Amino acid sequence: MILKIENVIKQFESVTALNKVNFSIKRGRIFGLLGPNGAGKTTLIRIITQITKPDEGEIIFDDSKLELSHISNIGYLPEERGLYPNMKIREQLVYLASLKGIPIKTIKQNMLELFKKFDIENWLDKKPSELSKGMQQKVQFILTILHKPKLIILDEPFTGLDPINTNLMKKEIREMSNRGVSIIFSTHRMEQVEEICEDIVLINKGKVLLTGNVDEIKYKFKKNHFLIKYKGEIPQNLLDELNIISHKNNEIVVKNEFQKNNNLLSQLLPHIEIITFKEVLPTLNEIFIDQVKGVSDE
Amino acid sequence: MNKIFLIIQREYLVRVRKKSFIITTILVPLLLVLIMIAPIFLSNLKSGSQHIAIVDQSGEFSQIFENTNHLNFINLDRNTNLKNVDKLLKDMNWDGLLYIPKLDINRPLGITLYSRRQMGLGTESYLRHQLENQIEKQRLAVKGYDSDWLKQFKVKLNINSVITSKIGNKSANSIVSYALAQIMGFILYFVIFTYGSMTMKSVVEEKRNRIVEVLISSIKPFQLMMGKILGVAMVALTQLLIWIILIGILGSLVFAGSIPYLNVNPNSQAISQMGAQTSTTHIEKIIIGLQSISFGPLIGYFLFFFLFGYLMYSSLFAAVGSVIDDDTETQTMTLPIAIPVIAAMLIMITVIEQPQSTLAIWTSIFPLFSPIVMIARIPFGVPTWQIISSMILLIITFLVFIWMAGKIYRTGILMRGKKVTFKELWKWIRVKN
């Protein structure tokens, strides 16, 4: 485990931002931190980055209690991000990274390496005010990973990026994960989570609703929906017997809870030719909405 | 500590490298010295070498004006036609024409000085004094006295002002103290405002650029704030030290250069012969006054009150900067800081008239006013207990303010899109941890 959050509580005046939050992040995983606006994601991140302290609970980073020296092993790209508009990129990256206690020699070496990799070496002597927003974001991403941290926290990293740069960043995230770097990816954009995250935690109103592996969670919340694509015509009496979720053209989604799939198919086979048969797992978006709704309905 | 140093370094270098900093650092002392010496030089330049024609109807006065390096006199025929004086002056390239009618020495009226431009005070007073002297002589002669006889009664006085308390027991001159008090008071007022708001701007910028969250994930907010305050303090110190050195060098160069020049000025010599107060004796007084002041301790006090006055106010400015979200709020939020600074400056102006009054004593100890008021009192001599209690109170207030500012700053910089009330600020200060 790279990070363990244990019974963390944080209270702001009358609002409980985090209420006994528990979860852990495995080494080298891309971990999705999900939740609607105001769920407590930013508060949690600010506790991990030691901007604020929890009222109660413990955070274990890299097998020891979180402390100030861990700052040099954590990279953080906040949602509210920016650069000094009139300071040369080179100077400001050296400055910002040296504040984390990284030796200047290492910073310069890593900086050149990364700027070469992203093919933007010629930006080093420019000022952010000369770059577009997307370009600045790329620089900020490099700043976040510049000191080769063990844990990287990305808060909505893709907002404002074009598809090409988004892919470039995703590729880099995966590469880092393969090298054993752990990544916390905070967002409310579910399709991105499904695409890149292996594990997630879903929090709402300061509480953990669910946490675990993405595929396992999807299985856990499966609704026994099956998609059938076919040729031919299903007789009306048969259709009436089935629990149909949706039906359009030659595509049908059936909820099949009480019989084996083979039985279902043998019922259909005399009438139609089956082209596709597969289970439809719920999207994270559906689970997210269901879970969040479930809590607010209580 | 190392991290604070990095912040200080950046804040310092960013500002010191700016063109505006370099220009003001060099220009201000130049201008100040220019303003100080301009009147002396201007009056001398005007009297440089002037040609003055004299039409003396009685013929009794033309001999009293002697040519000097600076003034040339041309005696004209008493019947010179003065209908077109302007053309005459222009054609002959004379600077002035002095017309002296036949005078009734008891009612000497009608003396006129024609000129195409202002002649300069020195020249005019020289002419007047020569004429007065001559008329005086004539009046004395009528009564049967010799003018030398009168001289023995003339008195020339200089009052030597001596302050008897321990601090100021050297002979000091009130003009110099007064000027120094005013200059130092105003510089501190200016410095507190300029650099205080510079700190505030720096905080606001980081909040607005949204870089602040990246920063405080690397260092503690208090370190960031302290680094900023100290970085700007170093900038201010650099500027002040350069100013003090430049003004010192330029001032002494110019003074040294102008003193002999002033002494050979025939006008002032002539005038001082008349026993009148002249610019020469003023300058002598100033030089004596300056010599009587021990600049070492004065600069020490000045730097102390500058440093802690700035630190105290800039911690407030930093706190305010962290709370501001948009420009419209800046004014309402800085007003509570601006009021005591402006009040201190106004009090300072009254206090230098009466530096030992009760108002002076208490306002120079009260920490919000003391940096500006106390430094203005020091040239006049202040009892040690007052200086020490003023200093201690100032340090304590600074510590309390910086602690409060740290609390406000920590919460303020991460706040967005929300107007903050003073009540809330008080809550933030009281929050633990």
Side-chain angles (χ1 to χ4, degrees), chain B residues 229-244:
Chain B
I229 290 175
L230 293 177
V232 174
M234 303 293 284
V235 178
L237 266 179
T238 309
Q239 193 162 54
L240 276 182
L241 285 177
I242 295 177
W243 282 355
I244 290 173

Side-chain angles (χ1 to χ4, degrees), chain B residues 56-75:
Chain B
D56 179 14
Q57 294 280 349
S58 63
E60 289 167 352
F61 293 93
S62 52
Q63 300 314 312
I64 61 172
F65 301 106
E66 283 171 19
N67 286 346
T68 69
N69 292 337
H70 300 272
L71 294 174
N72 273 312
F73 295 101
I74 306 107
N75 282 314

